[in-house]
Amino acid sequence: MEQDQSVAAGVDSGSAEPGAMAFDLTTANPDANAYGHNPPAVTAGSAVDHDGGAQAPDVSAYPAEHAALNGTAGEMANDQGDAENGGAAINEMGEPVPEPSYEEAVLSAEEARLWSVVTANSLDFNSWIALIEETEKNAESNILKIRKVYDAFLAEFPLCFGYWKKYADHEGRLDGVSKVIEVYERAILAVTYSVEIWYNYCQFAISTYEDPDIIRRLFERGLAYVGTDYRSNVLWDEYIKYEESLQAWSHLAVIYTRLLEHPIQQLDRYFNCLKELASTRALSDILTAEEASVYGVASENSNQALDGEAHPDDPDKSSKPEAENLAKYISMREEMYKKAKEYESKIIGFELAIRRPYFHVKPLDNPELENWHNYLDFIEKEEDINKVIKLYERCVIACANYSEFWIRYVQCMEDKGSLELANNALARATHVFVKQPEIHLFSARFKELNGDVSGARAEYQHLYSVLCPGFLEAIVKHSNMEHRLGDKESACSVYEKAIAAEREKEQSQLLPTLLIQYSRFLFLAIRDLEKARETLTELHEQLNITKPVLEAVIHLESILPCEKRIDLLDSLVEKFVTHESSHGEGSSLVDKEEISSIFLEFLDLFGDAKSIKKSLTRHTTLFSCKRSILPSKKRKADDAIVSDRDKLAKTGGTRPVTGTDPNASNPPVWPATSEASGQPWGAAYAPQATYPAYGTYDYSHQMPQPAAQAAYGAYPPTYPAQGYTQQSYAQPAAMAAAPVPAAAPAPTAAYPQQPAAAPQPYYGTTYY
């Protein structure tokens, strides 16, 4: 795994083979890239098909709206020589020849085995790496096999920029320039704020094209997104190196000037380089035409026209203005440099603490996660929202697997009044990057709050039907949402469909808990007492009754305002405490004793003397005779009362002392009840200290089992029922009148389009 890390995140300084034909990398001016404009989602990655392959990438899927912001591969091809350089081939009839499909690629036995592994578990990163290596070893010149594996892998792990680079290199070696462009365009859609991706793309352009304008436009595209990143110096250095090779001194001076505006790594070096450039070249060489007119200096292009006005016989007259202008030129840039250095002193601690700025499947350590939170706390105080957005975009590359940062990003954008950016970040998190339930629960609540009820409904259904089938918390929250909306029929339908699906399974572990939740919902929210009792009755037929289930049944029976069904409860308790498993999967003796004690408390409140005697006799026979009771361990009555008071002080509950087995080692505490709460696990029905399992239902049987290694986005081994922390959904006042969004489609494996890059402060600014 260690050796894969450098490949997944490293930068190869090599480039694809140069093509014979130059392509147009023209895009819109970066000045127009404003964060306020959010293009529609773009499908940039292809999903794995049923045979373990991937759908061929469709460049035509990139919408025209995106072309104005980030360019498309389709715009980059010249009309000349398309077929020779990877364009569509044409037959004798002038019709395009379709490209061969992935199915035509013949797999070796090992490739087939690895494909079956990653098809069964698409998050198995190590198997993907082994499959890529095996494919590259056997493919040789078979581009179809290479495309198949890279398209499928990058659909699951789109942030691994090193593999986008390797994919582009394969296309350049085996196909042509247009395919390389297509790969890089898909890469910058998937990980727009990666300095390394833009660095690799610009290196490819330099090695391929001769037109400086094409290359400069590509650099400008990249710098519009990542040019203010503290670690963007590698991309700036490549731009500087290119302009130096052209001896374009005025362009070079402008680059240095722009650099000095931002707290970028190695800022001191850039300022010294600018001063060296100004001291070794004539001022007219490094000034643009506009700057030259302001300084009153003849630029390089106008020297000949002004020669007649020069005074070669009086060097003092010409050198004095030159020295003054140079001092003014350096002085203004020094002020910019000092401001940037001052700001750098505020962020340098955060930046140095970022040890892994790129994505990897391995989890980050706690200090680095805490540093990201502290850095975001600092940057959110800035008035410039562009700084906030760009730091969040950097953060969700390194922390892509962590729901907490995506949720924080969404809430920050909402608080700043940008619901469009909030929805954009949420779509990327739920559709592509985060494979955990928390983000979908948050997304559903967020959409409900903002009026997108159909979108919230789709999130819940996707969660408990596709992502994590039978996920109880999503079922409960979906039903509660329908009830809040006033649709009681739909609220009940959510439970009934889930119960029907579980009934079709043999030995469903979820069904008893679903029946309890539904019964409680029917009584507390719908106020349908008869249906609630009828639902509970179905538990009598269940064989896999557990301790938390029985606790809930007894509790519900105690709060229902009707005659208590003591015989039904007695039969359930009898089945539980006397059941013996031959495979060691039965409940423990402690659990059985506790359930028996709880039932005795229930009978002491609602039963008669006969039923109490029957249950007490059973309890004594099963439990009291199975352990030795030492006199030294018996507590006096006063000690027991004092101990009980201590427990009540900690739990805040009430405890009847009567009705329990005096020999029990851990007499249970019966929770206080209330019928006021209509929501599951509310304050009136909080999980009690004595019954930690009830209210924290173990969902391990519902969750997909993770692979041996730390797979990307793998579910945790257990997921507590109500462990999801409720988020704050404070709606900004400015958004109160926002129109209701259109119904969101069911989540897909698409790449939602990144927000357009913000205009840099140096664009359109003059420095005199």
Side-chain angles (χ1 to χ4, degrees):
M1 185 69 176
E2 292 292 337
Q3 65 183 4
D4 296 328
Q5 180 173 349
S6 61
V7 181
V11 178
D12 184 356
S13 60
S15 57
E17 284 187 347
M21 181 64 66
F23 284 71
D24 184 10
L25 295 173
T26 305
T27 59
N29 190 329
D31 292 353
N33 293 346
Y35 273 108
H37 178 70
N38 187 17
V42 177
T43 302
S46 46
V48 180
D49 64 16
H50 297 294
D51 299 325
Q55 301 297 326
D58 182 12
V59 182
S60 63
Y62 302 158
E65 295 90 326
H66 170 64
L69 291 168
N70 211 12
T72 66
E75 287 182 334
M76 297 175 193
N78 262 335
D79 293 333
Q80 274 185 315
D82 263 359
E84 302 89 67
N85 291 280
I90 299 176
N91 61 19
E92 296 178 355
M93 303 296 295
E95 300 172 345
V97 177
E99 291 188 359
S101 64
Y102 288 146
E103 286 70 18
E104 297 181 22
V106 180
L107 304 177
S108 67
E110 179 63 12
E111 286 177 287
R113 185 190 70 80
L114 289 170
W115 269 114
S116 65
V117 172
V118 298
T119 301
N121 180 12
S122 62
L123 303 179
D124 187 345
F125 187 83
N126 286 348
S127 294
W128 276 112
I129 301 308
L131 176 58
I132 291 174
E133 292 174 354
E134 184 69 19
T135 302
E136 289 176 333
K137 182 174 68 176
N138 297 326
E140 296 180 355
S141 60
N142 191 336
I143 190 62
L144 291 179
K145 293 174 69 173
I146 292 175
R147 286 173 181 166
K148 177 179 180 179
V149 68
Y150 274 101
D151 285 341
F153 169 75
L154 291 169
E156 292 293 340
F157 303 96
L159 298 179
C160 293
F161 66 83
Y163 286 94
W164 285 109
K165 171 66 167 60
K166 292 179 67 178
Y167 190 6
D169 288 349
H170 283 302
E171 289 288 4
R173 177 175 59 88
L174 298 175
D175 199 328
V177 173
S178 65
K179 288 296 184 181
V180 177
I181 294 173
E182 180 181 316
V183 170
Y184 274 123
E185 288 296 323
R186 289 171 54 195
I188 60 176
L189 285 173
V191 56
T192 307
Y193 288 85
S194 168
V195 174
E196 292 80 4
I197 281 292
W198 289 104
Y199 171 82
N200 292 334
Y201 198 179
C202 290
Q203 277 197 326
F204 161 75
I206 291 172
S207 66
T208 304
Y209 309 122
E210 297 181 358
D211 186 350
D213 289 337
I214 294 176
I215 297 170
R216 284 169 178 156
R217 281 194 290 267
L218 184 59
F219 271 113
E220 294 300 332
R221 284 179 62 196
L223 292 172
Y225 287 100
V226 302
T228 59
D229 189 326
Y230 182 76
R231 302 166 189 262
S232 63
N233 54 296
V234 293
L235 183 60
W236 286 103
D237 284 342
E238 192 69 13
Y239 200 1
I240 290 169
K241 180 181 176 182
Y242 177 71
E243 294 294 356
E244 285 178 340
S245 69
L246 299 179
Q247 297 186 358
W249 310 121
S250 61
H251 284 279
L252 186 59
V254 169
I255 292 174
Y256 281 130
T257 300
R258 291 162 55 183
L259 264 166
L260 296 178
E261 284 189 289
H262 306 291
I264 294 170
Q265 199 166 234
Q266 302 180 8
L267 196 63
D268 297 336
R269 176 172 64 87
Y270 294 125
F271 182 53
N272 291 331
C273 288
L274 176 61
K275 291 192 294 184
E276 182 181 355
L277 176 66
S279 64
T280 57
R281 308 297 308 180
L283 188 59
S284 60
D285 292 345
I286 63 175
L287 293 178
T288 63
E290 184 179 1
E291 291 172 332
S293 63
V294 173
Y295 280 98
V297 176
S299 66
E300 189 175 15
N301 296 331
S302 58
N303 275 342
Q304 294 180 356
L306 299 176
D307 274 349
E309 300 178 12
H311 303 275
D313 297 331
D314 190 356
D316 291 338
K317 292 184 179 180
S318 59
S319 61
K320 187 175 180 180
E322 174 83 8
E324 291 177 353
N325 287 334
L326 179 60
K328 181 180 178 182
Y329 179 88
I330 296 297
S331 175
M332 294 186 66
R333 280 144 185 82
E334 186 174 9
E335 288 299 317
M336 297 161 52
Y337 162 74
K338 289 179 179 179
K339 289 181 180 179
K341 288 294 290 184
E342 180 182 359
Y343 192 80
E344 182 188 26
S345 67
K346 299 177 182 179
I347 66 171
I348 188 65
F350 300 122
E351 291 289 351
L352 294 179
I354 300 174
R355 303 298 183 184
R356 199 179 78 189
Y358 52 85
F359 167 80
H360 201 275
V361 295
K362 291 182 178 180
L364 291 165
D365 55 27
N366 289 332
E368 189 154 359
L369 293 173
E370 183 180 357
N371 178 68
W372 275 115
H373 278 299
N374 293 337
Y375 200 175
L376 292 170
D377 289 340
F378 168 79
I379 208 70
E380 284 177 359
K381 299 174 184 177
E382 292 283 339
E383 296 181 359
D384 186 359
I385 190 175
N386 295 327
K387 290 182 179 179
V388 179
I389 292 172
K390 290 189 176 183
L391 184 61
Y392 266 109
E393 289 294 341
R394 288 177 58 194
C395 174
V396 295
I397 291 176
C399 307
N401 284 345
Y402 295 86
S403 299
E404 61 193 272
F405 291 101
W406 289 101
I407 291 172
R408 177 171 179 165
Y409 189 6
V410 172
Q411 290 180 322
C412 178
M413 293 299 100
E414 182 189 31
D415 292 342
K416 291 184 179 295
S418 183
L419 186 60
E420 187 176 13
L421 290 176
N423 284 325
N424 178 282
L426 190 58
R428 283 184 284 146
T430 55
H431 294 183
V432 182
F433 297 112
V434 186
K435 311 294 174 66
Q436 297 168 354
E438 292 91 339
I439 192 67
H440 292 274
L441 292 172
F442 170 80
S443 177
R445 285 290 179 88
F446 182 83
K447 290 180 178 181
E448 179 192 355
L449 177 68
N450 289 285
D452 185 8
V453 174
S454 60
R457 190 177 290 121
E459 287 287 359
Y460 283 129
Q461 292 172 345
H462 176 71
L463 182 52
Y464 63 70
S465 299
V466 179
L467 185 60
C468 190
F471 188 50
L472 179 61
E473 188 173 1
I475 295 170
V476 171
K477 290 184 180 297
H478 184 190
S479 177
N480 290 346
M481 182 190 75
E482 300 292 355
H483 180 257
R484 284 194 298 275
L485 296 173
D487 191 346
K488 296 182 179 180
E489 183 177 348
S490 295
C492 293
S493 176
V494 172
Y495 275 111
E496 290 167 358
K497 288 179 181 179
I499 291 171
E502 292 299 318
R503 283 200 183 106
E504 297 177 359
K505 303 176 182 178
E506 294 184 4
Q507 298 296 315
S508 169
Q509 297 182 14
L510 179 62
L511 182 56
T513 308
L514 262 177
L515 291 171
I516 291 170
Q517 286 280 11
Y518 188 31
S519 175
R520 186 171 181 275
F521 175 78
L522 288 170
F523 171 61
L524 294 176
I526 306 299
R527 299 294 177 182
D528 190 339
L529 177 60
E530 292 304 318
K531 194 171 181 180
R533 287 169 60 87
E534 179 184 343
T535 302
L536 271 185
T537 306
E538 296 183 39
L539 286 169
H540 186 67
E541 304 172 0
Q542 301 300 314
L543 299 177
N544 57 337
I545 299 296
T546 62
K547 177 175 175 284
V549 168
L550 266 180
E551 286 179 305
V553 172
I554 296 172
H555 176 77
L556 283 176
E557 193 67 30
S558 70
I559 66 175
L560 293 177
C562 56
E563 183 180 353
K564 309 306 177 186
R565 294 177 294 182
I566 294 176
D567 291 340
L568 172 63
L569 294 182
D570 184 75
S571 65
L572 293 175
V573 172
E574 174 84 17
K575 183 188 301 183
F576 180 79
V577 299
T578 60
H579 177 69
E580 296 291 342
S581 176
S582 58
H583 302 288
E585 298 176 356
S587 301
S588 67
L589 182 65
V590 174
D591 287 346
K592 292 179 179 180
E593 181 180 4
E594 192 168 336
I595 285 295
S596 181
S597 298
I598 292 173
F599 186 52
L600 282 171
E601 290 190 23
F602 174 84
L603 291 176
D604 195 57
L605 288 172
F606 305 109
D608 53 25
K610 184 178 179 181
S611 62
I612 293 174
K613 178 183 177 182
K614 176 184 175 183
S615 296
L616 186 58
T617 301
R618 179 178 61 207
H619 184 95
T620 304
T621 302
L622 291 175
F623 307 114
S624 297
C625 299
K626 291 187 178 181
R627 64 174 181 269
S628 60
I629 305 174
L630 300 178
S632 61
K633 293 185 178 180
K634 291 183 178 180
R635 294 184 303 169
K636 295 181 180 180
D638 292 343
D639 294 336
I641 293 174
V642 172
S643 176
D644 292 336
R645 288 173 180 169
D646 292 340
K647 290 183 180 179
L648 291 175
K650 294 179 181 179
T651 61
T654 60
R655 171 187 168 82
V657 179
T658 61
T660 62
D661 178 13
N663 296 322
S665 59
N666 293 298
V669 178
W670 185 249
T673 62
S674 170
E675 300 177 15
S677 175
Q679 301 300 323
W681 322 121
Y685 193 52
Q688 302 299 312
T690 309
Y691 314 130
Y694 184 43
T696 54
Y697 183 74
D698 183 4
Y699 292 97
S700 58
H701 65 279
Q702 298 177 267
M703 314 301 272
Q705 294 301 315
Q709 76 288 342
Y712 166 75
Y715 299 115
T718 59
Y719 185 76
Q722 304 304 324
Y724 175 68
T725 303
Q726 296 298 329
Q727 303 294 330
S728 171
Y729 298 95
Q731 180 76 352
M735 297 165 55
V740 177
T748 60
Y751 291 109
Q753 171 60 35
Q754 298 275 1
Q760 304 294 310
Y762 42 74
Y763 291 131
T765 306
T766 56
Y767 310 98
Y768 302 131

